[in-house]
Amino acid sequence: MAAGATIGRRGRRPAAERPAASAPPRPFVQRVLGEHPTALLFIAPAVIVIVGLSVVPIFWTIILSFKSSDLITPARWIGTANYKALQHDPAFGEAIKHTLIYTAIFVPVSTALGLLLAMALNRQIRFIGIYRTALLAPFIVAITAQGVLFSYIFDERFGVANAMLDKLGLPTQGFLGDPSQAIYVIALIGIWGGVGFPLVVYLAALQDVPGELIDAASVDGARRWAILRHVILPQLWPVTIFLLVWQFLQALQLFELIYATTRGGPIESTVTIVYYIFHEAFQVFHAGYAAAVAVIVGVFLVLLAAVQFGFNAFRRRAAA
Amino acid sequence: MAALAAAVAALVLSACGGSSSSSGGGGSSSSGGGGGESENTVEIEFWHGQNERIAQVLDEMIEEFEESHPHVVVSKDAGGVSSDRMRQKVTAGLQADDVPDIAYIFGSDLASFAQTEKLANLSEAVENGEIDWNNFVPVAQEAATVDGEPRAFPSLVDNLAVVYNKKIFKEEGVAFPPNEMSWEEFLKIAEEVNNPSKGIAGWAWPGTGDEDTTWRIWPLVWQKGGEVLNEDGNGVGFEGEPGEAALEVVQKGTEAGTIYIDGTAGSERMQQLFNSEKLAMNITGPWALVEYLEAGVEYGVTLLPSFTDEHTTISGPDTWAIFDNGEEREHAAIEFLDWFSEPDQQLKWLEVSGSLPLTKDIGKAPGYAKFQNSIPGLKAFIDNTANAKTRPTVTSYPEISTAMGKAIGEVLYKKSDAQQAVESAVSEANKELELGG
């Protein structure tokens, strides 16, 4: 039980504080499996599930990306041919383009809108609960349901959106039926459904901004804008970085909405990267090729997450 | 472990796609040699993938079969997935070396499964008379044949015809379309009945660019003497005139503004518009009739229009695939499906599945005459079966479909004309075929 005494601050046990040489050498089992071998037994079920359902498939996908496979017939090892073919695949380039357009709209707009709405809702007014619930509701609606709903609203011929434009005397639009508009309409739907998350996070963060800071600033003569600019926003910065990265990850993985509305059409104008993976794997059955795309996207997402980690680490060090 | 990894891999791939959760796990039942108590009893697994309503009828039929064939026991678990996910489930099963004896496989997927040794080859059983192959209607035979060899039992056939909304025609003061019309006439009628001010469209075409968009174009190509794939199988067979003439029909529809482009997934909107008296004519299959009937729409059915006298149409058939789990089980599976193909059983199956008749001797079943007239217009589809062809059962079809789907989309959305669109589809598809899929 010598260890118990040495568990230091924050639960860490620096090497220097380890039991002195006077302690008896530990038995072999403990040296190999750690101090409490039975602990491994306890975590084994979770480890097996995580390894089986996350780690193994990841490696499997990586291996698959070096093969030519339709998932039915025996796969052929083709080395990096899938990756080489990807470089000259215009459809993949288009998919990246559509994904980037969506991301470029969805990420900043949904985050900024989330902040605005959160500030509007962060006050004591009558029926605030109703407003908050109403604005959060889209976030809870299943994406597939959103897709079906909006495909009705934005129907070119019979939709509510065009009926309203017509009433207002404005020219009607193709919306989801126009190859040059569809991806923007998708982004709009995405924002409608995706603003709820930043809203909730910002609302929580706003309530964490210490009241004393705001009081102190106003005593010093700061007006509302200055308080927002110099007190509140800096406090929200870490949350904002988190949200940007998070929304970015969401945007890059856009699939369900496309599947539920346009299936990549009209004329492949809304094929995103993940939809392209689906198409290649399960519609034309180039599973190896699809796996290669998945690996590339995966690497990119990991890098993105690393940015967030790096930022947090940097902040922690700066704060210390 | 390898089996687990494979199943997991199949799962993760669908997870990568982000589609709704895969259901790969679904209860692996009593397979693998647990052959029952009596020595002679053979147990077979039957993954029919049908919904509860149909499954109930199938279960009753299985019980009937087991009574008259006491040595065979047929499972009643449906396979744990619906038929549209059966390909994935059976694929995972193949990796794990645990496949059912019978599975509901889409006609378009049969060619891929035929690449594996596990899919039974029924040639011998057909030759020695165990299967009465010639009793199946030609289009059903075609659908279950890969490289000239019978590889499955047909499970469903349908075809496309024109269903028109009588009320709209009456209101617009246009005569009902004749049973046999040319595409020229069809387009003219569409123009006459089209009425944008009332929100009424003449006809419709799915615009997503997937197989739903593509398969409807093939009858037009066939009517003009074209093919999906050329004879040697190394290139497409729709270049030039056949492809262009087919796409020109679509082009004329968009130019005249008579065509409603259904951009929604699954082209459900077309059916809804028809139900709500906003679509005058719909090119659709017999499955839609039940829906129209329930919605109380007064409709008529005519043959698919043609460029010639022959009103060639397309059938999108499905199959009962038999997998090789040893000779004994294979024979039991054949025995069951053979019994299933007898007139009485077939009639029950047609009534619940919505399939058109698969067998020539169906007329022997008492009640078949009544069935033909059970739904108005059904008879027209049944008679149409003789005109139906199927898409080729080849593994490269999805690539051809993708290229053609894009071409149709470009014409529908006026991004290119028929000639250009066909040219680029031909070169794109041929490039994919060269790569060898």
Side-chain angles (χ1 to χ4, degrees):
Chain A
M1 274 324 288
T6 58
I7 288 177
R9 283 147 296 167
R10 297 184 185 181
R12 283 238 211 100
R13 204 150 44 83
E17 291 179 34
R18 280 220 178 123
S22 61
R26 292 179 300 164
F28 177 74
V29 177
Q30 283 195 355
R31 258 181 291 154
V32 176
L33 299 177
E35 222 154 305
H36 302 287
T38 32
L40 288 177
L41 211 64
F42 284 112
I43 62 166
V47 169
I48 288 169
V49 168
I50 291 169
V51 169
L53 292 179
S54 309
V55 181
V56 169
I58 288 172
F59 282 105
W60 192 273
T61 306
I62 294 172
I63 293 169
L64 188 61
S65 74
F66 293 108
K67 290 178 174 180
S68 165
S69 164
D70 63 358
L71 294 176
I72 292 180
T73 46
R76 250 176 331 118
W77 187 268
I78 53 167
T80 56
N82 282 329
Y83 291 93
K84 281 183 189 142
L86 263 180
Q87 291 171 2
H88 310 288
D89 182 353
F92 181 51
E94 285 290 304
I96 292 176
K97 195 182 108 192
H98 301 145
T99 309
L100 289 182
I101 292 175
Y102 177 85
T103 308
I105 299 170
F106 173 80
V107 175
V109 174
S110 69
T111 313
L113 203 62
L115 176 61
L116 280 176
L117 291 172
M119 289 198 297
L121 291 177
N122 186 33
R123 55 181 70 182
Q124 294 308 318
I125 45 175
R126 207 192 277 258
F127 305 130
I128 185 70
I130 294 176
Y131 302 142
R132 285 182 186 172
T133 312
L135 281 164
L136 193 63
F139 180 55
I140 296 157
V141 176
I143 295 178
T144 334
Q146 291 174 20
V148 173
L149 177 72
F150 278 97
S151 72
Y152 276 97
I153 293 175
F154 288 120
D155 186 273
E156 190 176 352
R157 226 170 154 132
F158 306 98
V160 180
N162 264 343
M164 274 165 65
L165 286 178
D166 200 40
K167 280 243 165 67
L168 295 170
L170 297 168
T172 56
Q173 301 295 318
F175 295 123
L176 291 173
D178 183 337
S180 55
Q181 287 179 7
I183 191 70
Y184 300 100
V185 177
I186 295 278
L188 199 70
I189 304 170
I191 290 166
W192 183 82
V195 78
F197 185 66
L199 169 64
V200 175
V201 174
Y202 271 131
L203 204 53
L206 280 172
Q207 282 160 10
D208 268 358
V209 175
E212 307 90 72
L213 282 183
I214 296 169
D215 290 344
S218 55
V219 167
D220 287 343
R223 302 266 172 88
R224 280 180 74 172
W225 171 247
I227 291 176
L228 176 68
R229 168 88 181 70
H230 297 289
V231 180
I232 296 179
L233 286 186
Q235 290 281 321
L236 295 180
W237 194 231
V239 170
T240 305
I241 292 292
F242 161 73
L243 280 176
L244 286 175
V245 172
W246 182 265
Q247 295 294 78
F248 209 99
L249 292 175
Q250 295 294 310
L252 290 183
Q253 297 185 67
L254 177 67
F255 173 81
E256 290 104 316
L257 196 53
I258 303 285
Y259 189 77
T261 51
T262 60
R263 295 267 161 107
I267 327 183
E268 302 181 357
S269 66
T270 55
V271 174
T272 58
I273 297 174
V274 180
Y275 191 86
Y276 188 63
I277 295 174
F278 166 77
H279 171 76
E280 284 293 323
F282 297 115
Q283 288 186 321
V284 293
F285 306 110
H286 300 157
Y289 194 68
V293 181
V295 168
I296 289 175
V297 176
V299 168
F300 194 72
L301 294 182
V302 167
L303 288 179
L304 205 67
V307 170
Q308 149 102 33
F309 273 115
F311 177 81
N312 280 352
F314 171 77
R315 260 183 47 85
R316 237 179 278 126
R317 207 165 297 165
Chain B
M1 189 59 209
L4 172 78
V8 163
L11 276 176
V12 74
L13 259 163
S14 53
C16 282
S19 65
S20 60
S21 71
S22 169
S23 35
S28 68
S29 67
S30 56
S31 64
E37 301 97 53
S38 129
E39 219 183 297
N40 298 326
T41 309
V42 188
E43 203 172 310
I44 57 172
E45 262 189 273
F46 180 35
W47 290 2
H48 56 70
Q50 304 300 315
N51 65 31
E52 217 168 308
R53 181 177 62 89
I54 301 176
Q56 212 176 346
V57 176
L58 284 174
D59 285 352
E60 281 165 24
M61 288 167 77
I62 288 169
E63 272 161 34
E64 222 175 281
F65 171 76
E66 285 171 352
E67 242 165 65
S68 55
H69 300 73
H71 58 289
V72 182
V73 176
V74 183
S75 77
K76 291 182 190 162
D77 64 356
V81 290
S82 62
S83 56
D84 56 342
R85 315 218 42 149
M86 197 56 87
R87 180 188 165 118
Q88 273 148 274
K89 169 112 191 206
V90 176
T91 303
L94 277 171
Q95 313 269 350
D97 205 16
D98 175 19
V99 282
D101 297 281
I102 304 170
Y104 192 97
I105 297 292
F106 289 161
S108 51
D109 290 338
L110 192 66
S112 301
F113 283 108
Q115 307 288 312
T116 72
E117 284 169 10
K118 273 290 193 180
L119 185 78
N121 192 329
L122 304 180
S123 300
E124 212 177 297
V126 168
E127 266 162 42
N128 67 24
E130 203 178 339
I131 303 171
D132 186 4
W133 189 250
N134 276 326
N135 186 33
F136 291 109
V137 296
V139 68
Q141 289 182 16
E142 216 181 297
T145 304
V146 182
D147 290 334
E149 290 180 323
R151 299 303 292 267
F153 275 72
S155 65
L156 182 140
V157 289
D158 53 23
N159 61 61
L160 291 178
V162 174
V163 182
Y164 61 92
N165 191 315
K166 286 186 174 171
K167 197 175 153 202
I168 295 180
F169 274 82
K170 277 184 212 157
E171 274 177 14
E172 299 300 316
V174 181
F176 293 154
N179 190 40
E180 294 184 28
M181 52 185 157
S182 67
W183 283 108
E184 205 71 37
E185 284 172 88
F186 173 81
L187 288 169
K188 207 171 135 249
I189 294 171
E191 219 164 315
E192 283 167 8
V193 78
N194 190 55
N195 189 342
S197 65
K198 280 189 174 153
I200 293 170
W203 57 307
W205 202 287
T208 47
D210 56 12
E211 179 59 9
D212 205 15
T213 300
T214 309
W215 77 298
R216 299 152 197 266
I217 203 77
W218 299 128
L220 285 78
V221 171
W222 291 328
Q223 289 167 1
K224 273 284 178 187
E227 285 295 335
V228 176
L229 203 62
N230 68 15
E231 259 172 51
D232 302 329
N234 56 6
V236 296
F238 56 83
E239 51 192 316
E241 165 75 2
E244 282 166 28
L247 283 189
E248 262 164 29
V249 170
V250 178
Q251 188 181 331
K252 283 176 188 162
T254 43
E255 277 167 3
T258 59
I259 203 166
Y260 170 74
I261 306 170
D262 187 350
T264 60
S267 67
E268 300 245 314
R269 188 69 49 80
M270 286 161 49
Q271 310 293 351
Q272 290 164 358
L273 289 179
F274 193 86
N275 282 340
S276 53
E277 323 275 349
K278 296 284 184 199
L279 185 62
M281 294 188 282
N282 200 10
I283 298 174
T284 187
W287 65 84
L289 298 183
V290 181
E291 215 179 298
Y292 299 158
L293 205 62
E294 276 170 11
V297 182
E298 213 191 317
Y299 61 81
V301 181
T302 77
L303 294 177
L304 196 69
S306 179
F307 295 112
T308 63
D309 292 340
E310 272 180 62
H311 290 258
T312 309
T313 181
I314 187 167
S315 175
D318 299 328
T319 67
W320 298 118
I322 297 177
F323 291 92
D324 181 6
N325 283 319
E327 210 167 307
E328 212 181 15
R329 287 170 68 170
E330 190 181 320
H331 278 295
I334 291 175
E335 197 175 342
F336 173 68
L337 289 175
D338 201 45
W339 174 85
F340 191 78
S341 306
E342 288 170 12
D344 287 345
Q345 283 71 260
Q346 276 295 300
L347 185 60
K348 279 185 200 163
W349 169 243
L350 300 187
E351 280 168 351
V352 289
S353 68
S355 172
L356 299 173
L358 295 155
T359 48
K360 291 172 187 162
D361 66 355
I362 181 78
K364 289 182 191 155
Y368 177 67
K370 201 175 139 213
F371 164 76
Q372 280 186 310
N373 297 312
S374 59
I375 303 168
L378 183 63
K379 182 122 192 341
F381 279 101
I382 294 175
D383 296 343
N384 210 1
T385 307
N387 297 321
K389 282 182 71 168
T390 63
R391 286 157 283 186
T393 44
V394 293
T395 50
S396 55
Y397 178 74
E399 281 117 0
I400 303 173
S401 165
T402 303
M404 190 51 147
K406 195 176 172 192
I408 298 169
E410 279 168 359
V411 172
L412 277 173
Y413 292 104
K414 297 181 188 164
K415 294 288 166 192
S416 115
D417 66 12
Q419 195 190 342
Q420 254 181 338
V422 169
E423 267 169 30
S424 60
V426 167
S427 75
E428 211 163 295
N430 280 345
K431 205 170 73 192
E432 288 284 349
L433 287 172
E434 231 169 82
L435 289 174

